[in-house]
Amino acid sequence: MSTKPTPRLILETLLPHLKVAAAYARFLQPKIAALPAKESGDNFFAAALTDADLAIQNLVEVVLLGTFPEIRFYGEEYESSGNTKYFRAVELGSTDDYLVTLDPIDGTKFYMDGHSNYQIILSILNTDDFEAVLAISPAQNIYDYALRDQGAFQGTLEMDLDNCKPLRVTSSKPHVLLGWGMSSIAPALEGQYQVIDVVTDYSSDRQIPNLNGILSGDLSGAVIKSGKFIDGAALAFLAREAGCIVTTLDGSTLPPLHTCKEYSRSGLIVATSKEIHQHLLQATQNSFV
Protein backbone atom coordinates (compact mmCIF):
# COMPACT_ATOMS: atom_id res chain seq x y z
CA MET A 1 0.00 0.00 0.00
CA SER A 2 1.17 3.55 -0.71
CA THR A 3 3.39 5.11 1.93
CA LYS A 4 1.58 8.40 1.36
CA PRO A 5 -2.10 7.50 1.68
CA THR A 6 -4.78 10.16 1.43
CA PRO A 7 -6.47 11.39 4.63
CA ARG A 8 -9.71 9.74 3.57
CA LEU A 9 -8.00 6.39 2.98
CA ILE A 10 -6.46 6.58 6.45
CA LEU A 11 -9.89 7.19 7.98
CA GLU A 12 -11.49 4.41 5.93
CA THR A 13 -8.76 1.99 6.94
CA LEU A 14 -8.87 2.79 10.64
CA LEU A 15 -12.65 3.18 11.06
CA PRO A 16 -13.48 -0.54 11.44
CA HIS A 17 -10.76 -0.91 14.06
CA LEU A 18 -11.88 2.24 15.87
CA LYS A 19 -15.38 0.78 16.00
CA VAL A 20 -13.92 -2.26 17.75
CA ALA A 21 -12.09 0.10 20.11
CA ALA A 22 -15.40 1.88 20.80
CA ALA A 23 -17.09 -1.41 21.71
CA TYR A 24 -14.15 -2.23 23.98
CA ALA A 25 -14.35 1.17 25.69
CA ARG A 26 -18.09 0.80 26.17
CA PHE A 27 -17.68 -2.70 27.64
CA LEU A 28 -14.84 -1.68 29.95
CA GLN A 29 -16.27 1.58 31.30
CA PRO A 30 -18.21 0.11 34.24
CA LYS A 31 -15.28 -2.15 35.06
CA ILE A 32 -12.47 0.37 34.67
CA ALA A 33 -9.74 0.60 37.25
CA ALA A 34 -7.41 3.58 37.18
CA LEU A 35 -3.69 3.11 36.73
CA PRO A 36 -1.22 5.44 38.50
CA ALA A 37 -1.58 9.09 37.48
CA LYS A 38 0.45 10.29 34.49
CA GLU A 39 1.41 13.57 36.09
CA SER A 40 0.86 15.70 39.11
CA GLY A 41 -0.91 19.03 39.08
CA ASP A 42 -4.33 20.57 39.47
CA ASN A 43 -5.83 19.31 36.20
CA PHE A 44 -7.41 16.04 37.28
CA PHE A 45 -8.64 15.37 33.74
CA ALA A 46 -5.03 15.14 32.52
CA ALA A 47 -3.98 13.10 35.55
CA ALA A 48 -6.25 10.14 34.86
CA LEU A 49 -4.77 7.18 33.02
CA THR A 50 -6.77 4.03 32.41
CA ASP A 51 -6.38 0.60 30.94
CA ALA A 52 -8.59 1.74 28.06
CA ASP A 53 -6.20 4.53 27.04
CA LEU A 54 -3.29 2.16 26.63
CA ALA A 55 -5.22 -0.68 25.03
CA ILE A 56 -6.93 1.49 22.40
CA GLN A 57 -3.69 3.24 21.49
CA ASN A 58 -1.92 -0.10 21.12
CA LEU A 59 -4.67 -1.31 18.79
CA VAL A 60 -4.38 1.75 16.55
CA GLU A 61 -0.59 1.54 16.56
CA VAL A 62 -0.66 -2.09 15.43
CA VAL A 63 -3.04 -1.28 12.58
CA LEU A 64 -0.97 1.71 11.44
CA LEU A 65 2.34 -0.13 11.57
CA GLY A 66 0.84 -3.06 9.72
CA THR A 67 -0.87 -0.96 7.05
CA PHE A 68 1.03 2.32 6.72
CA PRO A 69 4.44 1.51 8.21
CA GLU A 70 6.01 4.79 7.10
CA ILE A 71 3.33 7.00 8.70
CA ARG A 72 4.14 9.49 11.42
CA PHE A 73 2.19 8.89 14.61
CA TYR A 74 1.78 10.62 17.95
CA GLY A 75 -0.51 9.12 20.56
CA GLU A 76 -1.31 10.58 23.94
CA GLU A 77 0.24 7.59 25.69
CA TYR A 78 3.43 7.59 23.61
CA GLU A 79 5.65 7.52 26.69
CA SER A 80 3.97 4.34 27.94
CA SER A 81 3.63 2.55 24.62
CA GLY A 82 6.12 -0.05 23.49
CA ASN A 83 5.30 0.77 19.86
CA THR A 84 6.47 4.39 19.80
CA LYS A 85 10.01 3.46 18.79
CA TYR A 86 8.79 1.68 15.66
CA PHE A 87 7.23 4.77 14.05
CA ARG A 88 9.32 6.85 11.68
CA ALA A 89 8.55 10.01 13.62
CA VAL A 90 6.21 11.49 16.23
CA GLU A 91 6.50 15.12 15.04
CA LEU A 92 4.88 17.12 12.27
CA GLY A 93 6.42 16.55 8.88
CA SER A 94 6.80 18.60 5.72
CA THR A 95 3.85 19.36 3.46
CA ASP A 96 1.69 16.26 2.86
CA ASP A 97 3.89 14.07 5.08
CA TYR A 98 0.99 13.54 7.45
CA LEU A 99 1.11 13.05 11.20
CA VAL A 100 -1.66 10.86 12.63
CA THR A 101 -2.55 11.65 16.24
CA LEU A 102 -4.74 9.85 18.72
CA ASP A 103 -6.46 10.63 21.98
CA PRO A 104 -7.61 7.12 22.93
CA ILE A 105 -10.04 8.38 25.56
CA ASP A 106 -10.74 12.10 25.42
CA GLY A 107 -12.40 13.04 28.68
CA THR A 108 -10.81 10.29 30.75
CA LYS A 109 -12.28 11.67 33.96
CA PHE A 110 -15.75 11.68 32.36
CA TYR A 111 -15.12 8.09 31.30
CA MET A 112 -13.96 6.95 34.73
CA ASP A 113 -16.97 8.56 36.38
CA GLY A 114 -19.42 6.78 34.09
CA HIS A 115 -20.46 9.73 31.91
CA SER A 116 -21.38 9.24 28.26
CA ASN A 117 -19.61 12.15 26.55
CA TYR A 118 -16.09 10.76 26.31
CA GLN A 119 -14.64 10.22 22.83
CA ILE A 120 -11.95 8.47 20.84
CA ILE A 121 -10.34 11.14 18.65
CA LEU A 122 -8.10 10.41 15.68
CA SER A 123 -6.64 13.25 13.60
CA ILE A 124 -4.51 13.66 10.50
CA LEU A 125 -2.30 16.73 10.51
CA ASN A 126 -0.44 18.50 7.74
CA THR A 127 2.28 21.03 8.41
CA ASP A 128 -0.17 23.95 8.43
CA ASP A 129 -3.55 22.59 9.52
CA PHE A 130 -5.68 19.54 10.16
CA GLU A 131 -6.54 17.43 7.14
CA ALA A 132 -9.10 15.24 8.89
CA VAL A 133 -10.55 14.42 12.29
CA LEU A 134 -12.70 11.47 13.35
CA ALA A 135 -14.30 11.52 16.81
CA ILE A 136 -16.23 8.51 18.07
CA SER A 137 -18.67 8.72 20.99
CA PRO A 138 -18.93 5.03 22.02
CA ALA A 139 -21.60 5.44 24.69
CA GLN A 140 -23.81 7.40 22.26
CA ASN A 141 -23.20 5.07 19.29
CA ILE A 142 -22.28 7.95 16.96
CA TYR A 143 -19.23 9.42 15.32
CA ASP A 144 -18.36 12.69 13.66
CA TYR A 145 -15.72 13.25 11.04
CA ALA A 146 -14.49 16.09 8.86
CA LEU A 147 -12.13 16.43 5.94
CA ARG A 148 -10.42 19.74 5.29
CA ASP A 149 -12.68 22.17 3.40
CA GLN A 150 -15.23 19.40 2.79
CA GLY A 151 -17.49 19.92 5.80
CA ALA A 152 -18.37 17.72 8.75
CA PHE A 153 -20.48 14.57 8.84
CA GLN A 154 -22.18 12.41 11.45
CA GLY A 155 -23.36 8.84 11.52
CA THR A 156 -24.04 5.89 13.76
CA LEU A 157 -21.37 3.29 14.37
CA GLU A 158 -23.20 0.98 11.94
CA MET A 159 -22.49 3.40 9.06
CA ASP A 160 -19.40 3.78 6.91
CA LEU A 161 -18.07 7.20 5.90
CA ASP A 162 -20.15 7.41 2.71
CA ASN A 163 -23.44 6.90 4.56
CA CYS A 164 -22.92 9.63 7.15
CA LYS A 165 -25.05 12.76 6.92
CA PRO A 166 -23.72 16.32 6.70
CA LEU A 167 -23.34 17.93 10.12
CA ARG A 168 -24.10 21.62 10.32
CA VAL A 169 -24.46 23.37 13.68
CA THR A 170 -27.50 25.64 13.31
CA SER A 171 -28.93 25.94 16.83
CA SER A 172 -27.65 25.46 20.34
CA LYS A 173 -28.47 25.94 23.98
CA PRO A 174 -27.30 29.26 25.52
CA HIS A 175 -24.55 27.46 27.43
CA VAL A 176 -20.87 28.45 27.36
CA LEU A 177 -18.05 26.19 28.47
CA LEU A 178 -14.96 27.64 30.14
CA GLY A 179 -11.87 25.47 30.20
CA TRP A 180 -9.11 25.38 32.76
CA GLY A 181 -7.74 28.83 33.57
CA MET A 182 -10.72 30.69 32.09
CA SER A 183 -12.78 31.23 35.25
CA SER A 184 -12.18 34.99 35.23
CA ILE A 185 -14.37 35.32 32.12
CA ALA A 186 -17.47 34.00 33.85
CA PRO A 187 -18.78 37.26 35.42
CA ALA A 188 -18.84 38.98 32.02
CA LEU A 189 -21.01 36.24 30.55
CA GLU A 190 -23.43 35.54 33.35
CA GLY A 191 -26.90 36.82 32.56
CA GLN A 192 -26.50 36.16 28.86
CA TYR A 193 -25.47 32.53 29.12
CA GLN A 194 -25.42 29.65 31.52
CA VAL A 195 -21.71 29.45 32.20
CA ILE A 196 -20.20 26.01 32.75
CA ASP A 197 -16.75 26.19 34.33
CA VAL A 198 -15.00 22.82 34.32
CA VAL A 199 -13.02 23.79 37.42
CA THR A 200 -16.04 24.47 39.62
CA ASP A 201 -18.91 22.69 37.88
CA TYR A 202 -17.50 19.25 37.16
CA SER A 203 -19.27 16.53 39.11
CA SER A 204 -18.79 12.79 39.20
CA ASP A 205 -22.55 12.45 39.73
CA ARG A 206 -23.94 14.95 37.20
CA GLN A 207 -22.69 15.13 33.63
CA ILE A 208 -21.70 18.51 32.22
CA PRO A 209 -20.97 19.16 28.53
CA ASN A 210 -17.47 18.58 27.25
CA LEU A 211 -16.09 20.57 24.30
CA ASN A 212 -17.81 18.11 21.98
CA GLY A 213 -21.09 19.66 23.19
CA ILE A 214 -20.54 22.26 20.45
CA LEU A 215 -21.37 19.58 17.87
CA SER A 216 -24.40 18.20 19.70
CA GLY A 217 -26.03 21.59 20.33
CA ASP A 218 -25.45 21.46 24.09
CA LEU A 219 -23.09 24.45 23.89
CA SER A 220 -23.24 27.70 21.96
CA GLY A 221 -19.63 28.55 22.69
CA ALA A 222 -16.46 27.64 24.50
CA VAL A 223 -13.26 29.35 25.59
CA ILE A 224 -10.22 27.20 26.31
CA LYS A 225 -6.74 28.20 27.39
CA SER A 226 -5.05 25.85 24.95
CA GLY A 227 -6.12 23.34 22.37
CA LYS A 228 -3.98 20.24 22.20
CA PHE A 229 -3.61 18.77 18.73
CA ILE A 230 -5.00 15.45 19.97
CA ASP A 231 -8.21 16.80 21.51
CA GLY A 232 -9.22 20.48 21.87
CA ALA A 233 -7.73 21.66 18.57
CA ALA A 234 -9.12 18.58 16.81
CA LEU A 235 -12.64 19.21 18.10
CA ALA A 236 -12.29 22.88 17.13
CA PHE A 237 -11.47 21.76 13.58
CA LEU A 238 -14.61 19.60 13.54
CA ALA A 239 -16.64 22.56 14.80
CA ARG A 240 -15.18 24.85 12.14
CA GLU A 241 -16.03 22.38 9.39
CA ALA A 242 -19.55 22.16 10.85
CA GLY A 243 -20.01 25.92 10.44
CA CYS A 244 -18.75 27.32 13.75
CA ILE A 245 -16.36 30.22 14.18
CA VAL A 246 -12.97 29.36 15.65
CA THR A 247 -10.29 31.93 16.50
CA THR A 248 -7.50 32.59 18.95
CA LEU A 249 -8.31 34.42 22.18
CA ASP A 250 -7.64 37.79 20.54
CA GLY A 251 -9.91 37.02 17.59
CA SER A 252 -7.12 36.22 15.13
CA THR A 253 -7.16 33.39 12.63
CA LEU A 254 -5.48 30.23 13.83
CA PRO A 255 -1.71 30.04 13.27
CA PRO A 256 -0.18 27.22 11.22
CA LEU A 257 0.39 24.07 13.22
CA HIS A 258 4.13 24.04 12.62
CA THR A 259 4.44 27.36 14.50
CA CYS A 260 2.79 25.93 17.61
CA LYS A 261 4.65 24.49 20.58
CA GLU A 262 4.24 21.20 22.44
CA TYR A 263 1.55 19.75 20.15
CA SER A 264 -0.86 22.50 21.16
CA ARG A 265 -2.52 25.58 19.76
CA SER A 266 -2.81 28.62 21.98
CA GLY A 267 -6.14 29.63 23.51
CA LEU A 268 -9.23 29.11 21.41
CA ILE A 269 -12.68 30.66 21.13
CA VAL A 270 -15.30 28.41 19.50
CA ALA A 271 -18.74 29.83 18.80
CA THR A 272 -21.82 28.77 16.88
CA SER A 273 -22.51 32.28 15.53
CA LYS A 274 -20.77 35.61 14.91
CA GLU A 275 -22.81 37.26 17.67
CA ILE A 276 -21.82 34.69 20.26
CA HIS A 277 -18.21 34.87 19.13
CA GLN A 278 -18.23 38.63 19.71
CA HIS A 279 -19.64 38.16 23.21
CA LEU A 280 -16.94 35.63 24.06
CA LEU A 281 -14.19 37.71 22.48
CA GLN A 282 -15.21 40.84 24.38
CA ALA A 283 -15.45 38.96 27.67
CA THR A 284 -12.02 37.42 27.09
CA GLN A 285 -10.38 40.71 26.20
CA ASN A 286 -11.92 42.52 29.17
CA SER A 287 -10.82 39.79 31.55
CA PHE A 288 -7.20 39.72 30.41
CA VAL A 289 -6.51 43.42 29.93
Side-chain angles (χ1 to χ4, degrees):
M1 187 168 288
S2 172
T3 58
K4 288 191 176 181
T6 65
R8 186 178 185 88
L9 178 59
I10 296 172
L11 294 189
E12 289 175 340
T13 302
L14 289 174
L15 180 58
H17 304 282
L18 290 170
K19 290 179 179 181
V20 172
Y24 166 82
R26 191 167 53 243
F27 164 79
L28 199 62
Q29 187 178 22
K31 302 173 175 61
I32 200 70
L35 295 175
K38 287 183 288 189
E39 58 187 59
S40 60
D42 295 331
N43 190 334
F44 53 84
F45 291 98
L49 174 62
T50 67
D51 293 321
D53 285 298
L54 291 169
I56 291 172
Q57 179 162 319
N58 286 338
L59 171 62
V60 171
E61 288 169 338
V62 168
V63 176
L64 284 173
L65 288 168
T67 312
F68 309 116
E70 295 302 313
I71 202 79
R72 294 169 177 265
F73 177 74
Y74 172 78
E76 183 181 30
E77 311 303 338
Y78 75 99
E79 292 179 324
S80 303
S81 173
N83 294 312
T84 299
K85 59 182 174 291
Y86 300 122
F87 286 97
R88 179 164 61 93
V90 297
E91 304 89 4
L92 288 172
S94 57
T95 301
D96 296 337
D97 186 5
Y98 303 129
L99 172 68
V100 176
T101 68
L102 177 73
D103 190 342
I105 297 287
D106 174 54
T108 310
K109 181 65 175 174
F110 289 86
Y111 181 71
M112 292 174 64
D113 286 336
H115 299 319
S116 66
N117 58 343
Y118 66 93
Q119 292 186 303
I120 301 170
I121 303 176
L122 183 128
S123 304
I124 303 168
L125 283 60
N126 213 329
T127 186
D128 60 337
D129 204 354
F130 287 81
E131 291 291 341
V133 171
L134 190 153
I136 294 180
S137 299
Q140 300 169 14
N141 197 48
I142 60 171
Y143 71 95
D144 304 307
Y145 81 93
L147 292 161
R148 186 173 180 176
D149 299 326
Q150 297 181 44
F153 302 84
Q154 185 177 85
T156 68
L157 291 179
E158 292 74 31
M159 297 177 178
D160 59 23
L161 297 183
D162 290 334
N163 292 327
C164 290
K165 305 299 182 184
L167 174 63
R168 195 76 179 173
V169 177
T170 57
S171 62
S172 57
K173 297 177 182 178
H175 298 168
V176 169
L177 179 71
L178 301 183
W180 290 88
M182 294 291 113
S183 299
S184 62
I185 300 173
L189 297 171
E190 290 169 350
Q192 288 178 297
Y193 303 97
Q194 179 180 334
V195 177
I196 302 167
D197 186 338
V198 297
V199 175
T200 58
D201 293 330
Y202 183 83
S203 169
S204 60
D205 301 317
R206 178 178 56 85
Q207 180 171 301
I208 64 171
N210 205 352
L211 183 57
N212 55 32
I214 287 282
L215 301 174
S216 64
D218 290 325
L219 295 173
S220 56
V223 184
I224 59 177
K225 191 173 184 179
S226 66
K228 292 183 179 180
F229 291 173
I230 63 170
D231 49 40
L235 292 173
F237 170 81
L238 268 173
R240 188 184 73 193
E241 289 290 331
C244 295
I245 298 168
V246 181
T247 70
T248 64
L249 295 182
D250 65 5
S252 303
T253 57
L254 302 183
L257 295 179
H258 68 83
T259 67
C260 301
K261 305 294 184 182
E262 298 180 353
Y263 299 92
S264 182
R265 273 181 157 154
S266 57
L268 298 175
I269 297 175
V270 184
T272 56
S273 72
K274 292 181 179 179
E275 180 182 13
I276 293 168
H277 178 266
Q278 284 301 308
H279 292 163
L280 299 181
L281 177 60
Q282 183 176 1
T284 302
Q285 292 176 329
N286 291 342
S287 298
F288 289 94
V289 171

